[in-house]
Amino acid sequence: MIDLTSKQISPEVLSLIPRDVAIRFHAIPVSVDSTSVHIALPQNYDEEVAADLSFYLGKQVSVETRDWEAITEALQHYYKVTEIELAKSTTHRMGEHGKTSERDASVPLGRETDSLELTSDGTVVAVVDRIIEEAIRLGASDIHIEPYEKYLRVRYRLDGVLHGVDQLPVSKARPLISRIKIISQLDIAEKRRPQDGRMRVQQDGRTVDIRVSSLPTDFGEKVVLRILDKSQLRLDLARLGFESADLKTFERTIRLPYGMILITGPTGSGKTTTLYAALDHINDARVNITTIEDPIEYNLDGINQTQVRSDIGLTFAAALRSILRQDPNIIMVGEIRDSETAEIAVRAALTGHLVLSTLHTNDAPSAITRLIDMGIEPFLVASSVKMIIAQRLLRKLCDKCKLPHKLTSVEGEELDISGVEGSDSFYEAAGCPSCNNSGYRGRSAVYEVFQIQNELSEHIARKLSTTEIRNKALALGMITLRQAALRKAANGETSISEVLRETAI
């Protein structure tokens, strides 16, 4: 029997099993051929460990046994594992009476080998790779993998709408979801609680970050993967969808030396993209820009970005307090979620800082009421908030297949098209190979830009209702989300059905 440390295992073979996995399973990859990986495991090893490793590697595993000390020595030699790490690993794997703990015993990743026959090369690894690669190629923002009683459904969110792309036998659910949890560093044994993780993939010469969220359901764990493809990130304000007058107003406002700018809208409406584009527009070596995010979606060059860590007490409010001691000029707070964060952000805006953040409200004027409901005095809101922008994302019609559309009586009753230039030339989606038969290609944002001027500040300080503030803003020329969307429809950019789906009166 060859001594493991004298065998000189190549770095390529060692890289097949990451360091943390090797420590956890007390495993050493010895060699690899076209069909299998040869792995050294301790004598009397659990057969489930070999199955787990086979699943992880996407190849059959051929086991050769060694005594515990020989593998320990190999781990120290090849992976530079310390005595402390080995002690922790041993404690973790063994229960109080020397038996394998429940955590390790419930990791049956690859036991049903027939359930891995999902593609021509017979590995669940290839299936996961294919699902992710195809989603990135199509420009999907999310992948939904959902187990049901009789099947496993895979859907992509394309241009804001979910599309079914695959349906697999329910027997494939466990190994496929376990594979995703492994590569996103989630606990594969924990199936009762939601978990969040990340992975990073290489495709077409670029790196794509993916956020992973698991959620227990009746028939297993549902997994959602949020694709963060920086190559798809638009940081050019002029290309986001602003009306020319609103764009000029926004560009002028984000160059103010102090004050607060809020972006409102539901999840997935593009708020973060607008904030990133604004920060990129004003990014300058002469100013200190710091962000607090949960999570950091994209890394921006020249900007200090901090990740919220609620588990260690690094909340939005705690991070914001620390950032104020870092001599910032511009602060971006990913979201104002509570009164403490709102109060600190408002006071920062009043003391010489430009603060950009988001709120979850349906329209721009409602953000005023939301801040007041959080306990911020109306006069402080009136003094600090300089602009509020509500936004939505509308799917853009495919130019190759869109067809003329005549308003139906129902649409005519619901939509006020008076004053909309070109309102006699609407279009609708048709579908062609160029747009995957959806009728749409890409999305564009529509904005409701609410600039807080002197007269409006007085109304806010007097704590007038949202309706009264909104009516005053409209009288001063504010364009609503519905009106902005109708203008895009009249220009042939989107359809009436999209206007009705994404905006309200």
Side-chain angles (χ1 to χ4, degrees), residues 25 47-57 59 106-116 124 174-176 178-179 182 188:
F25 291 114
E47 288 185 4
E48 288 187 9
V49 170
D52 291 346
L53 290 169
S54 176
F55 168 79
Y56 179 85
L57 294 165
K59 283 178 173 285
S106 60
V107 193
L109 291 180
R111 296 180 68 187
E112 297 176 14
T113 54
D114 61 331
S115 72
L116 303 183
V124 72
R174 184 177 53 78
L176 192 148
S178 293
R179 168 63 183 170
I182 284 175
I188 54 177

Side-chain angles (χ1 to χ4, degrees), residues 10-268:
S10 71
E12 291 76 14
V13 172
L14 290 169
S15 67
L16 293 173
I17 299 183
R19 186 174 185 274
D20 58 334
V21 176
I23 296 171
R24 177 174 182 179
F25 291 114
H26 221 69
I28 300 292
V30 178
S31 63
V32 62
D33 55 39
S34 59
T35 60
S36 61
V37 179
H38 301 272
I39 296 177
L41 289 174
Q43 295 169 349
N44 301 319
Y45 68 91
D46 189 335
E47 288 185 4
E48 288 187 9
V49 170
D52 291 346
L53 290 169
S54 176
F55 168 79
Y56 179 85
L57 294 165
K59 283 178 173 285
Q60 293 206 0
V61 164
S62 173
V63 177
E64 53 183 80
T65 60
R66 296 284 197 281
D67 59 43
W68 185 271
E69 290 74 17
I71 293 181
T72 296
E73 185 180 351
L75 285 170
Q76 293 172 322
H77 178 75
Y78 291 112
Y79 290 99
K80 310 303 178 188
V81 179
T82 66
E83 294 285 354
I84 295 176
E85 288 174 309
L86 286 169
K88 287 182 178 178
S89 173
T90 303
T91 302
H92 174 73
R93 290 180 59 84
M94 304 300 291
E96 290 181 1
H97 303 291
K99 297 181 180 180
T100 304
S101 68
E102 180 183 352
R103 172 185 167 97
D104 279 324
S106 60
V107 193
L109 291 180
R111 296 180 68 187
E112 297 176 14
T113 54
D114 61 331
S115 72
L116 303 183
E117 300 295 325
L118 301 178
T119 61
S120 58
D121 66 1
T123 67
V124 72
V125 175
V127 178
V128 173
D129 289 348
R130 174 178 60 79
I131 289 172
I132 294 174
E133 287 169 5
E134 185 68 5
I136 295 172
R137 186 187 68 80
L138 292 173
S141 61
D142 301 88
I143 304 170
H144 289 240
I145 300 175
E146 305 159 314
Y148 292 96
E149 185 176 9
K150 297 181 179 179
Y151 61 91
L152 177 72
R153 181 170 67 174
V154 180
R155 294 189 291 172
Y156 296 161
R157 187 175 294 279
L158 299 166
D159 295 330
V161 177
L162 284 168
H163 298 269
V165 295
D166 210 346
Q167 189 167 299
L168 302 170
V170 70
S171 62
K172 319 303 181 188
R174 184 177 53 78
L176 192 148
I177 291 172
S178 293
R179 168 63 183 170
I180 292 172
K181 292 177 71 176
I182 284 175
I183 58 180
S184 54
Q185 299 182 350
L186 300 181
D187 185 349
I188 54 177
E190 179 55 78
K191 297 177 175 65
R192 300 166 300 171
R193 296 186 180 91
Q195 296 185 67
D196 295 300
R198 294 181 80 100
M199 67 173 78
R200 179 169 288 179
V201 300
Q202 296 283 337
Q203 183 157 325
D204 299 328
R206 68 184 191 273
T207 300
V208 178
D209 288 316
I210 299 176
R211 287 203 331 249
V212 181
S213 172
S214 71
L215 180 72
T217 71
D218 258 1
F219 301 106
E221 290 176 284
K222 172 182 175 177
V223 175
V224 175
L225 294 85
R226 168 63 59 88
I227 299 171
L228 305 172
D229 188 353
K230 194 169 184 178
S231 69
Q232 303 296 316
L233 180 65
R234 289 184 176 180
L235 294 180
D236 185 355
L237 283 177
R239 297 179 59 197
L240 293 183
F242 279 102
E243 299 261 340
S244 58
D246 288 338
L247 178 59
K248 290 178 182 177
T249 302
F250 185 50
E251 288 178 334
R252 185 170 61 250
T253 306
I254 61 177
R255 291 197 177 278
L256 291 173
Y258 59 87
M260 179 181 285
I261 299 170
L262 295 172
I263 312 291
T264 77
T267 300

Side-chain angles (χ1 to χ4, degrees), residues 72 74 167 223 286 291 350 355 369 391 416 496:
T72 296
Q167 189 167 299
V223 175
R286 295 170 295 181
T291 74
L350 290 171
V355 179
T369 305
Q391 73 175 79
D416 178 11
I496 290 298

Side-chain angles (χ1 to χ4, degrees), residues 226 263-272 335 358-363 389-393 443 446 481 501-503:
R226 168 63 59 88
I263 312 291
T264 77
T267 300
S269 60
K271 299 186 298 296
T272 301
E335 183 183 346
T358 71
L359 276 176
H360 286 285
T361 61
N362 289 325
D363 60 15
I389 296 177
Q391 73 175 79
R392 299 291 188 277
L393 291 176
R443 289 189 290 177
V446 288
L481 283 168
R501 187 175 72 89
E502 288 290 346
T503 67

Side-chain angles (χ1 to χ4, degrees), residues 329-348:
N329 299 102
I330 300 166
I331 304 169
M332 191 268 270
V333 182
E335 183 183 346
I336 294 178
R337 296 177 178 172
D338 53 62
S339 57
E340 186 179 13
T341 305
E343 182 180 356
I344 300 170
V346 165
R347 295 200 177 276

Side-chain angles (χ1 to χ4, degrees), residues 288-349:
N288 177 16
I289 303 177
T290 304
T291 74
I292 314 159
E293 304 174 59
D294 184 23
I296 296 172
E297 295 195 6
Y298 300 98
N299 295 118
L300 302 176
D301 189 45
I303 293 175
N304 307 292
Q305 296 174 266
T306 300
Q307 166 77 49
V308 167
R309 289 284 306 276
S310 299
D311 56 326
I312 60 172
L314 188 61
T315 61
F316 276 113
L320 185 52
R321 283 198 197 91
S322 296
I323 284 170
L324 288 172
R325 295 191 288 270
Q326 291 279 313
D327 187 31
N329 299 102
I330 300 166
I331 304 169
M332 191 268 270
V333 182
E335 183 183 346
I336 294 178
R337 296 177 178 172
D338 53 62
S339 57
E340 186 179 13
T341 305
E343 182 180 356
I344 300 170
V346 165
R347 295 200 177 276

